[in-house]
Amino acid sequence: MTKLRIGVLVSGTGSNLQALIDASRGGRLDADIAVVISNKAGVRALERAREADIPSVVVSHKEFKSRERFEVALIKALRDHDVRCVVLAGFMRLLTGYFLDAFSGRVINIHPSLLPAFPGVDAQRQAFEHGVKIAGCTVHFVDRGTDTGPIIAQRALQVRDDDTAETLRARILELEHQLLPEALQLLAEDRLRVEGRRVLIADEGRRAVDHAALDKAERGA
Ligand code: GRF
């Protein structure tokens, strides 16, 4: 079976990208990282791609007159690498419906809060300043809103009295590195089914879409 080909969009450090590279090389993620695309040149994430011999491309939003033209270039770079699923791993640009339609139902984001609490930027600080006792991260499908799409997986931790916004950020990041490859593995195994707002996960070894049964039904058997 051909492996799921993913394209990872980044803007900065790329520690989540690294978690995906390590999981894929370590046999915990049955997917190939086909390309890494950054909207900023010179970021650590691009170095990580180079170190892992993964093709990388810079598509700078600053070089395009409109959001749509920027997205046309992103889509082209992804298609050139035969990408089937797009992962936003610290990608700091909002994508429009135009981009989402090109990869319909196959764009995934990692967000450092327990959504729907604290969407948007600096979520860990928002959570810390709000005084929450439980914090964490979310992997979700991307829809047209900001961090509003159907939730695939979440992981939580308890906020400690001696946490600061910075220690909380670091502790959540560790959870992100576990959760993102795990959630993508579910997609790679074709075990996710979206029903309205809910993402249902088929048991291990069973695909959410039973392709054999569908084929049989189509043949009228
Ligand atoms: C992560 O906290 C991610 O959830 C958020 O941006 C950060 C990116 O970190 N969207 P990195 O670039 O993967 O190290």
Side-chain angles (χ1 to χ4, degrees):
M1 218 176 67
T2 53
K3 282 194 184 178
L4 179 67
R5 289 178 67 78
I6 58 181
V8 184
L9 268 50
V10 295
S11 300
T13 311
S15 68
N16 278 292
L17 165 68
Q18 190 67 54
L20 293 178
I21 294 170
D22 295 346
S24 148
R25 305 266 151 107
R28 285 172 288 118
L29 174 61
D30 290 323
D32 285 327
I33 303 172
V35 65
V36 172
I37 303 178
S38 175
N39 66 312
K40 283 189 190 167
V43 293
R44 174 80 182 104
L46 289 168
E47 238 172 72
R48 293 183 196 269
R50 268 193 298 276
E51 286 162 9
D53 274 329
I54 296 170
S56 61
V57 184
V58 176
V59 182
S60 168
H61 58 282
K62 290 184 184 156
E63 281 167 26
F64 298 90
K65 285 207 178 88
S66 69
R67 210 175 267 269
E68 191 163 306
R69 287 191 192 173
F70 168 57
E71 292 186 354
V72 167
L74 283 181
I75 293 166
K76 181 175 182 317
L78 290 163
R79 291 214 171 121
D80 282 350
H81 291 86
D82 209 10
V83 163
R84 291 273 297 127
C85 165
V86 181
V87 180
L88 311 183
F91 183 64
M92 300 307 284
R93 306 295 300 172
L94 290 177
L95 295 167
T96 72
Y98 178 77
F99 181 92
L100 298 177
D101 286 346
F103 290 93
S104 177
R106 297 212 150 232
V107 184
I108 283 172
N109 183 42
I110 172 100
H111 183 76
S113 78
L114 294 173
L115 291 169
F118 314 117
V121 291
D122 224 355
Q124 306 95 322
R125 182 173 294 278
Q126 290 184 56
F128 180 77
E129 287 177 355
H130 194 88
V132 298
K133 296 294 185 196
I134 302 283
C137 55
T138 303
V139 176
H140 64 94
F141 285 112
V142 177
D143 67 7
R144 284 168 162 71
T146 302
D147 304 321
T148 53
I151 292 170
I152 299 169
Q154 294 186 299
R155 191 140 301 161
L157 56 71
Q158 214 145 8
V159 180
R160 299 186 195 132
D161 284 357
D162 63 354
D163 265 322
T164 62
E166 283 319 306
T167 61
L168 188 61
R169 183 185 305 276
R171 291 176 63 218
I172 292 174
L173 194 58
E174 271 180 42
L175 292 189
E176 294 181 44
H177 298 160
Q178 299 165 10
L179 191 68
L180 183 58
E182 285 177 23
L184 269 174
Q185 178 60 14
L186 295 174
L187 187 81
E189 290 174 10
D190 215 355
R191 287 168 59 195
L192 303 179
R193 191 175 82 229
V194 182
E195 274 191 11
R197 282 224 44 95
R198 301 186 68 209
V199 179
L200 306 182
I201 302 172
D203 290 341
E204 211 169 336
R206 294 192 54 185
R207 292 175 164 223
V209 179
D210 186 343
H211 294 286
L214 274 181
D215 286 352
K216 219 169 153 187
E218 271 166 20
R219 288 197 311 269

